Amino acid sequence: MKKLALALSFLLSTPAMAIDVEHTSTPITIDGVSESAWDKATWHDMPYLMDGTLPSNDADFKGRYRLLWDQNYLYLQADIVDDVLIDTHPDPTYKYWDDDALEVFIDSDASGGNHQFNHTALAYHIGLDNQAADYGPDKQAHLYTDHLVSNWKRNTTAPFNITWEVAIKLYPNDYKEGAKNTPITLSEKQVIGFMLAYCDNDGSKVREHFMGSHEVQPVNGDRNRGFIDADVFGKITLLPKK
């Protein structure tokens, strides 16, 4: 029993994956087309099941991503293989998690904690229409599309993968719903809480696969904790300019 308790304690206390992010001296064009600035960024996979079932094969879903930064934005480029794209909810604030969506988790100061109905961290659910939704303090879903620029494009050759690019502005913990909020200026050695996931639906009434970049330890069997608890995010560190 003691050995089991120690093992569980180790699992729960293991630090989430840390990633270093290179600086880009020129802003990234968010058009779903890779440019030379991305060559310095490292690819990271999205192999972890967060909800639903594992994809049946790589054509069903396979994902990876890389990051860059400048003083205004955290840049994300995701390479997604998804053979069926679904967007059946025209209201972007209604059941958006049951459509295909890229979900970006951001904790600007890596402070962690519960953020389900506050903005100490954000879980941007970016739909195929490039609109971004999350819950607010009123426990209702709102659009935060003005926090980011999103664009994706499907490749014209097999496996017809999607290049999905996002430029994200970061906000402090005192972000106020409906107020005029000033984004954070990003700087060298800044540590940010980060995780990425993809909601995949191939035609069911609910999301079939929810795959992520970081392994989440389950709570009562539930690994879908990112929209609630920023402690499950990984950490990224913004590297000095070169």
Side-chain angles (χ1 to χ4, degrees):
M1 291 296 292
K2 286 185 177 180
K3 288 183 177 180
L4 178 59
L6 286 171
L8 288 173
S9 175
F10 173 78
L11 285 172
L12 293 173
S13 63
T14 301
M17 183 171 64
I19 293 171
D20 291 335
V21 179
E22 296 280 357
H23 176 264
T24 176
S25 57
T26 56
I28 300 296
T29 302
I30 305 301
D31 58 0
V33 178
S34 194
E35 54 200 276
S36 59
W38 282 111
D39 294 343
K40 67 171 72 174
T42 301
W43 285 110
H44 305 280
D45 293 328
M46 302 171 61
Y48 298 107
L49 181 66
M50 300 171 71
D51 194 26
T53 60
L54 285 169
S56 57
N57 52 57
D58 286 350
D60 192 5
F61 170 80
K62 186 176 181 180
R64 60 179 184 163
Y65 70 98
R66 51 188 176 179
L67 301 165
L68 291 169
W69 74 277
D70 65 19
Q71 66 176 3
N72 297 314
Y73 294 101
L74 178 67
Y75 296 103
L76 163 70
Q77 184 184 82
D79 177 40
I80 303 294
V81 178
D82 185 1
D83 55 357
V84 178
L85 295 180
I86 293 289
D87 185 8
T88 59
H89 299 90
D91 181 349
T93 63
Y94 178 72
K95 291 189 175 181
Y96 42 79
W97 53 84
D98 287 329
D99 290 328
D100 286 331
L102 193 68
E103 187 167 355
V104 186
F105 302 88
I106 297 286
D107 180 7
S108 62
D109 63 354
S111 57
N114 187 299
H115 70 96
Q116 186 174 8
F117 300 122
N118 64 70
H119 294 312
T120 56
L122 285 133
Y124 296 113
H125 302 72
I126 308 173
L128 295 177
D129 60 358
N130 293 304
Q131 297 194 76
D134 192 17
Y135 274 92
D138 59 358
K139 300 185 180 181
Q140 301 296 316
H142 299 273
L143 290 179
Y144 300 94
T145 310
D146 60 331
H147 290 200
L148 51 84
V149 181
S150 170
N151 206 342
W152 60 271
K153 186 172 291 186
R154 189 185 278 283
N155 199 305
T156 57
T157 59
F160 305 105
N161 54 306
I162 294 166
T163 299
W164 199 327
E165 294 185 318
V166 189
I168 308 158
K169 292 181 283 189
L170 273 62
Y171 290 88
N173 281 356
D174 61 358
Y175 181 96
K176 298 292 191 300
E177 191 76 33
K180 185 176 181 179
N181 297 277
T182 303
I184 293 171
T185 299
L186 302 186
S187 59
E188 298 178 358
K189 300 183 181 179
Q190 184 172 344
V191 178
I192 299 164
F194 175 86
M195 188 167 69
L196 183 67
Y198 187 80
C199 303
D200 183 34
N201 192 336
D202 294 337
S204 301
K205 291 184 178 180
V206 297
R207 175 178 62 200
E208 296 167 9
H209 321 300
F210 188 37
M211 302 297 295
S213 60
H214 293 64
E215 186 169 16
V216 175
Q217 297 302 323
V219 175
N220 297 323
D222 180 20
R223 296 179 185 273
N224 185 15
R225 305 291 303 167
F227 74 102
I228 298 172
D229 185 5
D231 288 336
V232 305
F233 298 2
K235 290 182 172 61
I236 61 174
T237 300
L238 307 185
L239 293 178
K241 303 173 185 178
K242 295 180 180 179

